[in-house]
Amino acid sequence: MASSPDAKRLFVLDTNVLMHDPTCLFRFEEHDIYLPMIVLEELDNNKKGMSEVARNARQASRTLDALAATVRGDIRDGVALTALGHREATGTLFFQTEPFTQALPDGIAHGKADNQILVVVQGLKARHPDRDVVLVSKDINMRIKARALGLAAEDYENDKTIDDVELLYTGMLALPADFWSRQGKSVESWQQGGHTFYRISGAIVEQLLLNQFVYYEAPGEPALYARVVELRGKTAVLRTLKDYTHLKNAVWGVTARNREQNFALNLLMDPDIDFVTLAGTAGTGKTLMALAAGLTQVLDERRYSEIIMTRATVSVGEDIGFLPGTEEEKMGPWMGALDDNLEFLAQGARNSAGEWGRAATHDLIRSRIKIKSMNFMRGRTFLNKYVIIDEAQNLTPKQMKTLITRAGPGTKMVCMGNLAQIDTPYLTEGSSGLTYVVDRFKGWPHGGHVTLARGERSRLADYASEVL
């Protein structure tokens, strides 16, 4: 939140802010916070159940209880937010201790909770004309109504990893056209284990991160596709990639169809990389490549014992329902993408053994893939597993942390999603768990990210994504 240069601002919090981030009370630095009584009432109404929202409501209530318990004098004088040890929050928390009787325009129902909060904001503005009184809400319509009444309103943006998703780390960098002429004689190169290594220096090193892909494409000159494997002071070491666009390097019959897919397969097949994130629009091959790499490393190379696949069902955190069947069968409707990709992989080059051979291969593949619901992940540890988390854009940063911390020794995790398809309420591209992990893991020696750009489904799908 931007702070005004003179007086401390007074932020009135909507209930959805507390239920979105229970620690939000300590995120407003030196500014004061005001909680209307109806917000406490709504917290109470939402505390029951096992959903993420109910858990957050209970946590927010516990925090408020702990703060209120520190008051020695009159609670109307406010509660110091530093009382629980959060030194960065130097403001004061005020509870509503008296009614406000401001009149709202005709047509606005007074009984509705949102409108009661607007009455409180109006009353505070009239009572403190010298202060900035600002409503903070995650509800767009609430902010529109506030502004229509001449009140200041803001979104709660402290949870946003980045302001603009266009600035999100893509995992790759195009080298400038004069790259080789600038490096000149200072570049060192050597061969080792089928790869060529280049040690480079200069201003470009400052832009590089570990495991970032770099590429050089210029007409009439040989192309370079490499990954940053070492950064030391003002020098970086680049290692050329394995070419997965070539049939001889096909992964379970799948070859890379473009530059980004080649980058992704290099990460997916590298045993030193424990965590891979793939972002991209529909049809860029995220699920297919992750599955093909998983099957090769589980069935052919025996690097992992099995593939575990889970995805964010949009009702994540709720029960999967009292339907008959096992956990796998209940997850079945959400796993259409898995079945589509398995069908494609099972009819690959290695299945020229007729109908019986295809059926046997399909059964073998399915026996090594376990479908799990996220609701039962807490407390588990995965040993030597290849874990695929699909539709990760619908997870909150907290849920993402719960899942990634399940990884035990020898486990590889692949998170993928499309940031343009977020279905979870109150999650945006900037605050999605996928954006959060991409930003936090960039530059980690055992993690890598690729943003896939080009759809490879069909000419129909490509044309539809352009014109529709």
Side-chain angles (χ1 to χ4, degrees):
M1 300 291 167
S3 54
S4 68
D6 40 12
K8 289 199 291 187
R9 300 169 90 185
L10 182 61
F11 288 109
V12 182
L13 300 194
D14 192 355
T15 323
N16 52 45
V17 178
L18 285 160
M19 293 194 297
H20 176 77
D21 177 9
T23 63
C24 65
L25 295 168
F26 309 108
R27 304 264 192 248
F28 290 88
E29 297 167 354
E30 76 275 16
H31 304 293
D32 295 341
I33 294 172
Y34 191 96
L35 286 184
M37 194 55 69
I38 190 68
V39 166
L40 303 177
E41 186 71 26
E42 283 196 296
L43 275 182
D44 188 54
N45 293 340
N46 284 285
K47 71 185 178 187
K48 295 181 182 70
M50 292 305 294
S51 68
E52 183 84 3
V53 165
R55 274 195 287 270
N56 287 349
R58 291 195 293 272
Q59 190 182 332
S61 297
R62 285 194 291 270
T63 306
L64 290 170
D65 178 51
L67 280 168
T70 63
V71 177
R72 293 285 172 266
D74 192 338
I75 201 164
R76 281 178 292 190
D77 297 332
V79 183
L81 287 166
T82 50
L84 297 182
H86 294 268
R87 293 197 185 128
E88 69 283 1
T90 55
T92 306
L93 170 67
F94 295 98
F95 292 97
Q96 183 184 349
T97 54
E98 53 193 332
F100 288 90
T101 54
Q102 253 59 30
L104 289 172
D106 292 340
I108 295 183
H110 276 259
K112 199 176 172 195
D114 283 3
N115 301 334
Q116 290 183 44
I117 294 172
L118 291 173
V119 166
V120 170
V121 179
Q122 266 193 333
L124 287 170
K125 189 181 172 189
R127 190 171 294 174
H128 303 286
D130 55 328
R131 293 191 74 174
D132 270 352
V133 179
V134 182
L135 170 69
V136 181
S137 175
K138 297 291 295 173
D139 184 342
I140 296 172
N141 290 330
M142 177 75 157
R143 298 200 299 269
I144 293 170
K145 274 201 284 190
R147 286 174 187 139
L149 293 171
L151 306 170
E154 290 181 10
D155 187 6
Y156 176 71
E157 295 189 343
N158 216 296
D159 60 329
K160 284 193 180 171
T161 308
I162 49 171
D163 292 331
D164 184 358
V165 82
E166 298 293 321
L167 303 173
L168 185 64
Y169 173 60
T170 60
M172 64 195 94
L173 179 72
L175 295 172
D178 61 351
F179 173 70
W180 288 119
S181 57
R182 274 203 188 173
Q183 289 298 318
K185 294 171 184 168
S186 66
V187 69
E188 276 180 66
S189 72
W190 65 95
Q191 301 249 328
Q192 187 183 323
H195 295 278
T196 306
F197 290 78
Y198 298 95
R199 180 170 274 115
I200 61 166
S201 54
I204 192 139
V205 173
E206 293 172 19
Q207 300 175 46
L208 299 178
L209 291 163
L210 271 179
N211 290 328
Q212 187 172 15
F213 291 96
V214 294
Y215 59 94
Y216 177 80
E217 293 172 334
E221 292 190 45
L224 168 71
Y225 302 103
R227 191 167 96 208
V228 181
V229 290
E230 184 187 302
L231 284 173
R232 190 173 295 170
K234 295 188 177 174
T235 65
V237 176
L238 309 180
R239 185 177 72 195
T240 56
L241 304 180
K242 190 169 180 180
D243 182 14
Y244 286 103
T245 60
H246 201 287
L247 260 176
K248 72 172 195 268
N249 293 327
V251 178
W252 203 266
V254 172
T255 55
R257 288 193 182 180
N258 58 46
R259 182 178 63 219
E260 291 83 12
Q261 286 191 354
N262 191 30
F263 293 165
L265 282 171
N266 269 277
L267 287 177
L268 292 166
M269 295 298 292
D270 188 339
D272 287 334
I273 301 289
D274 299 336
F275 185 66
V276 179
T277 45
L278 301 176
T281 55
T284 45
K286 303 182 293 292
T287 312
L288 183 69
M289 288 190 298
L291 266 178
L295 289 171
T296 299
Q297 292 173 93
V298 167
L299 292 168
D300 292 354
E301 298 173 8
R302 307 286 171 95
R303 191 175 289 155
Y304 308 105
S305 58
E306 64 183 1
I307 295 173
I308 289 183
M309 187 147 185
T310 184
R311 68 176 276 169
T313 54
V314 174
S315 54
V316 66
E318 307 288 346
D319 279 337
I320 350 177
F322 300 102
L323 297 168
T326 61
E327 182 185 353
E328 296 230 349
E329 286 166 347
K330 290 182 183 188
M331 286 296 288
W334 301 102
M335 283 297 170
L338 170 66
D339 294 326
D340 297 344
N341 285 291
L342 280 183
E343 195 179 322
F344 177 84
L345 291 168
Q347 50 175 263
R350 54 186 75 199
N351 290 311
S352 51
E355 202 65 39
W356 284 99
R358 270 199 292 278
T361 307
H362 192 265
D363 288 349
L364 172 67
I365 289 172
R366 280 313 298 248
S367 72
R368 289 303 181 90
I369 298 178
K370 297 279 188 292
I371 297 164
K372 298 291 179 194
S373 164
M374 286 185 184
N375 307 352
F376 311 116
M377 289 291 187
R378 191 161 273 153
R380 295 197 59 179
T381 303
F382 296 128
L383 300 170
N384 293 319
K385 303 281 195 282
Y386 183 94
V387 183
I388 299 174
I389 302 169
D390 204 359
E391 302 293 338
Q393 77 277 2
N394 283 324
L395 296 174
T396 65
K398 198 171 161 190
Q399 288 167 325
M400 194 63 109
K401 181 181 177 181
T402 302
L403 283 176
I404 296 170
T405 51
R406 303 300 100 220
T411 288
K412 183 177 189 121
M413 285 212 161
V414 182
C415 277
M416 50 203 187
N418 176 8
L419 286 166
Q421 292 182 341
I422 295 177
D423 304 312
T424 309
Y426 300 128
L427 266 194
T428 61
E429 292 179 353
S431 59
S432 159
L434 182 59
T435 310
Y436 177 71
V437 289
V438 169
D439 192 65
R440 293 298 169 97
F441 274 91
K442 66 184 180 191
W444 185 51
H446 303 289
H449 169 71
V450 176
T451 300
L452 297 154
R454 279 175 277 183
E456 297 289 352
R457 261 191 190 145
S458 65
R459 58 192 177 196
L460 168 61
D462 291 348
Y463 185 66
S465 63
E466 275 176 39
V467 297
L468 297 181

